[in-house]
Amino acid sequence: MICIYAGTTGNQITDDIIQLVILDGAGNILFNEYFCPENKSLWPCAAAQNGITPEQLDGKPHFSAFTEQIRDILYDADMIIGYSLFPVLPILKRNGIIILEDSVFDISLSFSEVYGECDSKTGAVRPQNLAVCADYFGCTIIPHGALECATAVLYCFYQLSKLLDFIDGLDPELAEYYLFLRATGIDAEDLIRAGYGIEEIHSVVYGKSEIE
Protein backbone atom coordinates (compact mmCIF):
# COMPACT_ATOMS: atom_id res chain seq x y z
CA MET A 1 0.00 0.00 0.00
CA ILE A 2 1.16 3.49 -0.90
CA CYS A 3 -0.14 6.84 0.32
CA ILE A 4 0.15 9.85 -1.99
CA TYR A 5 -0.42 13.52 -1.40
CA ALA A 6 0.27 16.12 -4.08
CA GLY A 7 0.51 19.87 -3.80
CA THR A 8 -0.63 21.46 -7.06
CA THR A 9 -1.22 24.87 -8.61
CA GLY A 10 -4.88 23.91 -9.09
CA ASN A 11 -7.15 21.05 -10.14
CA GLN A 12 -7.17 21.56 -13.91
CA ILE A 13 -5.29 19.17 -16.17
CA THR A 14 -3.02 22.06 -17.24
CA ASP A 15 -1.98 22.73 -13.63
CA ASP A 16 1.38 21.67 -12.23
CA ILE A 17 2.38 19.40 -9.39
CA ILE A 18 4.67 21.44 -7.15
CA GLN A 19 5.16 18.94 -4.33
CA LEU A 20 4.68 15.20 -4.10
CA VAL A 21 4.87 13.05 -0.99
CA ILE A 22 4.71 9.26 -1.06
CA LEU A 23 4.55 7.19 2.14
CA ASP A 24 4.44 3.45 2.62
CA GLY A 25 1.78 1.83 4.79
CA ALA A 26 3.90 2.26 7.91
CA GLY A 27 4.31 6.00 7.34
CA ASN A 28 7.89 5.85 6.10
CA ILE A 29 8.79 8.58 3.60
CA LEU A 30 9.51 7.06 0.19
CA PHE A 31 9.50 10.36 -1.69
CA ASN A 32 9.20 14.03 -0.78
CA GLU A 33 10.21 16.64 -3.33
CA TYR A 34 9.26 20.13 -4.50
CA PHE A 35 9.11 20.97 -8.22
CA CYS A 36 9.38 24.12 -10.26
CA PRO A 37 6.15 24.49 -12.28
CA GLU A 38 6.25 24.54 -16.06
CA ASN A 39 2.84 26.00 -16.88
CA LYS A 40 1.95 28.37 -14.06
CA SER A 41 3.88 31.31 -12.60
CA LEU A 42 1.28 32.27 -9.99
CA TRP A 43 -1.31 30.22 -8.07
CA PRO A 44 -2.72 32.43 -5.29
CA CYS A 45 -5.78 30.29 -4.53
CA ALA A 46 -3.80 27.06 -4.29
CA ALA A 47 -1.00 28.78 -2.36
CA ALA A 48 -3.51 29.87 0.28
CA GLN A 49 -4.36 26.20 0.81
CA ASN A 50 -1.02 24.42 0.46
CA GLY A 51 1.28 27.21 1.60
CA ILE A 52 3.64 26.76 -1.37
CA THR A 53 4.68 30.02 -3.03
CA PRO A 54 6.59 30.66 -6.28
CA GLU A 55 9.56 31.98 -4.28
CA GLN A 56 9.95 28.62 -2.52
CA LEU A 57 10.35 26.84 -5.84
CA ASP A 58 13.07 28.98 -7.36
CA GLY A 59 15.84 26.68 -8.58
CA LYS A 60 13.87 23.48 -7.96
CA PRO A 61 13.90 20.85 -10.73
CA HIS A 62 10.88 20.12 -12.90
CA PHE A 63 8.66 17.15 -12.13
CA SER A 64 10.02 15.34 -15.19
CA ALA A 65 13.40 14.96 -13.46
CA PHE A 66 11.81 12.45 -11.06
CA THR A 67 9.37 10.63 -13.35
CA GLU A 68 11.30 7.37 -13.48
CA GLN A 69 11.93 7.35 -9.73
CA ILE A 70 8.24 7.89 -9.00
CA ARG A 71 7.24 5.15 -11.45
CA ASP A 72 9.59 2.72 -9.72
CA ILE A 73 8.08 3.50 -6.31
CA LEU A 74 4.52 3.03 -7.52
CA TYR A 75 5.19 -0.01 -9.70
CA ASP A 76 4.46 -2.73 -7.14
CA ALA A 77 1.74 -0.91 -5.18
CA ASP A 78 -1.43 -2.99 -4.93
CA MET A 79 -3.40 -0.04 -3.55
CA ILE A 80 -2.82 3.69 -3.66
CA ILE A 81 -4.63 5.82 -1.11
CA GLY A 82 -5.11 9.55 -1.04
CA TYR A 83 -7.54 12.33 -0.21
CA SER A 84 -9.33 13.99 -3.13
CA LEU A 85 -6.85 12.12 -5.29
CA PHE A 86 -8.98 11.55 -8.38
CA PRO A 87 -8.71 15.18 -9.64
CA VAL A 88 -4.91 14.84 -9.45
CA LEU A 89 -4.74 11.68 -11.58
CA PRO A 90 -5.07 13.51 -14.95
CA ILE A 91 -2.28 15.91 -13.93
CA LEU A 92 -0.06 12.97 -12.98
CA LYS A 93 -0.92 11.24 -16.27
CA ARG A 94 0.05 14.34 -18.24
CA ASN A 95 3.39 14.16 -16.48
CA GLY A 96 3.96 10.51 -17.34
CA ILE A 97 2.61 8.87 -14.16
CA ILE A 98 -0.34 6.63 -14.95
CA ILE A 99 -2.32 5.36 -11.97
CA LEU A 100 -5.27 3.08 -12.70
CA GLU A 101 -8.45 4.21 -10.95
CA ASP A 102 -9.18 0.64 -9.86
CA SER A 103 -6.08 0.72 -7.67
CA VAL A 104 -7.07 3.98 -5.95
CA PHE A 105 -8.89 4.32 -2.64
CA ASP A 106 -9.91 7.96 -2.31
CA ILE A 107 -10.70 8.46 1.36
CA SER A 108 -12.62 11.67 0.71
CA LEU A 109 -15.44 9.79 -1.04
CA SER A 110 -16.02 7.21 1.70
CA PHE A 111 -15.54 9.70 4.51
CA SER A 112 -18.01 12.21 3.05
CA GLU A 113 -20.63 9.44 2.93
CA VAL A 114 -19.89 8.51 6.54
CA TYR A 115 -19.95 12.15 7.68
CA GLY A 116 -23.34 12.46 6.02
CA GLU A 117 -23.66 16.21 5.56
CA CYS A 118 -26.04 16.83 2.67
CA ASP A 119 -26.87 19.85 0.55
CA SER A 120 -30.18 21.29 1.76
CA LYS A 121 -31.40 21.91 -1.80
CA THR A 122 -30.20 18.88 -3.75
CA GLY A 123 -29.84 16.32 -0.98
CA ALA A 124 -26.43 15.36 -2.38
CA VAL A 125 -23.65 14.45 0.02
CA ARG A 126 -21.30 17.39 0.52
CA PRO A 127 -17.59 16.67 0.01
CA GLN A 128 -15.54 17.17 3.18
CA ASN A 129 -11.96 18.40 3.23
CA LEU A 130 -9.05 16.67 4.92
CA ALA A 131 -9.12 18.97 7.94
CA VAL A 132 -12.69 17.88 8.73
CA CYS A 133 -11.75 14.23 8.28
CA ALA A 134 -8.69 14.54 10.51
CA ASP A 135 -10.68 16.29 13.22
CA TYR A 136 -13.43 13.65 13.03
CA PHE A 137 -10.94 10.87 13.73
CA GLY A 138 -9.04 12.82 16.38
CA CYS A 139 -5.87 13.21 14.35
CA THR A 140 -3.46 15.56 16.11
CA ILE A 141 -1.50 16.31 12.93
CA ILE A 142 -2.49 19.64 11.38
CA PRO A 143 -2.91 18.89 7.65
CA HIS A 144 -1.08 21.88 6.15
CA GLY A 145 1.82 21.06 3.90
CA ALA A 146 2.02 17.93 1.77
CA LEU A 147 4.04 15.85 4.24
CA GLU A 148 1.70 16.60 7.14
CA CYS A 149 -1.29 16.01 4.87
CA ALA A 150 0.03 12.65 3.69
CA THR A 151 0.64 11.58 7.29
CA ALA A 152 -2.88 12.66 8.24
CA VAL A 153 -4.33 10.81 5.22
CA LEU A 154 -2.62 7.59 6.27
CA TYR A 155 -3.88 7.95 9.85
CA CYS A 156 -7.43 8.65 8.63
CA PHE A 157 -7.30 5.67 6.29
CA TYR A 158 -6.66 3.26 9.13
CA GLN A 159 -9.30 4.89 11.32
CA LEU A 160 -11.86 4.90 8.49
CA SER A 161 -11.11 1.25 7.70
CA LYS A 162 -11.78 0.28 11.32
CA LEU A 163 -14.99 2.32 11.33
CA LEU A 164 -16.27 0.78 8.10
CA ASP A 165 -15.47 -2.73 9.34
CA PHE A 166 -17.39 -2.00 12.54
CA ILE A 167 -20.58 -0.60 10.98
CA ASP A 168 -20.57 -3.21 8.21
CA GLY A 169 -21.73 -5.81 10.73
CA LEU A 170 -24.50 -3.63 12.20
CA ASP A 171 -28.19 -3.38 11.43
CA PRO A 172 -28.55 -0.47 8.94
CA GLU A 173 -30.68 1.61 11.34
CA LEU A 174 -28.23 1.08 14.19
CA ALA A 175 -25.30 1.93 11.91
CA GLU A 176 -27.04 5.14 10.83
CA TYR A 177 -27.72 6.11 14.45
CA TYR A 178 -24.14 5.32 15.43
CA LEU A 179 -22.81 7.60 12.68
CA PHE A 180 -25.27 10.32 13.69
CA LEU A 181 -23.92 10.20 17.23
CA ARG A 182 -20.31 10.23 16.04
CA ALA A 183 -21.02 13.35 13.99
CA THR A 184 -22.08 15.06 17.22
CA GLY A 185 -18.92 13.94 19.02
CA ILE A 186 -20.43 10.91 20.80
CA ASP A 187 -18.85 7.48 20.28
CA ALA A 188 -21.30 4.74 21.22
CA GLU A 189 -19.14 1.83 20.04
CA ASP A 190 -18.73 0.35 23.54
CA LEU A 191 -22.50 0.45 24.10
CA ILE A 192 -23.16 -1.29 20.80
CA ARG A 193 -20.56 -3.94 21.52
CA ALA A 194 -22.28 -4.47 24.86
CA GLY A 195 -25.49 -5.29 23.01
CA TYR A 196 -27.39 -2.03 23.49
CA GLY A 197 -30.08 -1.15 20.94
CA ILE A 198 -30.99 2.30 19.65
CA GLU A 199 -33.50 3.10 22.40
CA GLU A 200 -31.11 1.96 25.13
CA ILE A 201 -28.22 3.95 23.68
CA HIS A 202 -30.44 7.01 23.40
CA SER A 203 -31.44 6.64 27.03
CA VAL A 204 -27.82 6.40 28.17
CA VAL A 205 -26.63 9.30 26.00
CA TYR A 206 -29.52 11.72 26.44
CA GLY A 207 -31.23 10.47 29.60
CA LYS A 208 -34.47 9.93 27.72
CA SER A 209 -36.23 6.62 27.20
CA GLU A 210 -37.71 7.51 23.81
CA ILE A 211 -36.33 9.10 20.68
CA GLU A 212 -38.30 12.20 19.82
Side-chain angles (χ1 to χ4, degrees):
M1 183 180 73
I2 293 293
C3 176
I4 287 182
Y5 197 91
T8 66
T9 58
N11 287 328
Q12 302 301 313
I13 193 170
T14 54
D15 277 297
D16 292 294
I17 297 170
I18 49 180
Q19 186 182 8
L20 183 68
V21 174
I22 306 176
L23 307 178
D24 65 15
N28 298 308
I29 301 172
L30 304 180
F31 188 88
N32 181 19
E33 294 289 346
Y34 289 90
F35 316 107
C36 180
E38 299 186 58
N39 296 322
K40 297 290 179 72
S41 57
L42 295 171
W43 50 93
C45 292
Q49 294 181 358
N50 58 39
I52 304 173
T53 64
E55 292 75 21
Q56 290 176 258
L57 304 179
D58 283 345
K60 298 293 183 182
H62 293 306
F63 185 90
S64 56
F66 297 94
T67 301
E68 289 301 322
Q69 183 181 351
I70 295 169
R71 282 177 183 161
D72 289 342
I73 293 172
L74 300 179
Y75 181 76
D76 290 326
D78 56 348
M79 179 169 64
I80 297 173
I81 66 171
Y83 204 94
S84 299
L85 184 56
F86 282 115
V88 180
L89 297 184
I91 305 176
L92 286 167
K93 184 177 181 180
R94 181 176 61 79
N95 284 276
I97 306 298
I98 299 175
I99 298 176
L100 299 178
E101 291 190 4
D102 289 346
S103 68
V104 173
F105 182 82
D106 193 326
I107 299 171
S108 66
L109 303 179
S110 296
F111 172 71
S112 295
E113 290 286 344
V114 164
Y115 195 74
E117 183 180 13
C118 296
D119 186 280
S120 59
K121 294 182 179 180
T122 66
V125 173
R126 285 180 176 169
Q128 301 298 323
N129 62 36
L130 178 57
V132 173
C133 182
D135 181 67
Y136 182 89
F137 287 118
C139 180
T140 58
I141 301 164
I142 299 174
H144 189 73
L147 181 56
E148 291 80 6
C149 286
T151 305
V153 167
L154 191 62
Y155 173 87
C156 290
F157 168 76
Y158 286 121
Q159 295 300 312
L160 178 63
S161 296
K162 288 193 292 185
L163 174 61
L164 294 177
D165 286 344
F166 175 63
I167 64 175
D168 186 54
L170 301 181
D171 173 83
E173 289 188 8
L174 182 56
E176 183 178 357
Y177 187 61
Y178 170 73
L179 292 176
F180 164 76
L181 290 177
R182 277 210 61 149
T184 63
I186 300 169
D187 191 344
E189 181 175 341
D190 289 343
L191 295 175
I192 292 174
R193 292 191 182 279
Y196 284 51
I198 293 177
E199 293 286 351
E200 295 168 303
I201 295 171
H202 188 80
S203 178
V204 171
V205 172
Y206 296 109
K208 299 177 181 179
S209 59
E210 295 183 0
I211 299 177
E212 298 177 356

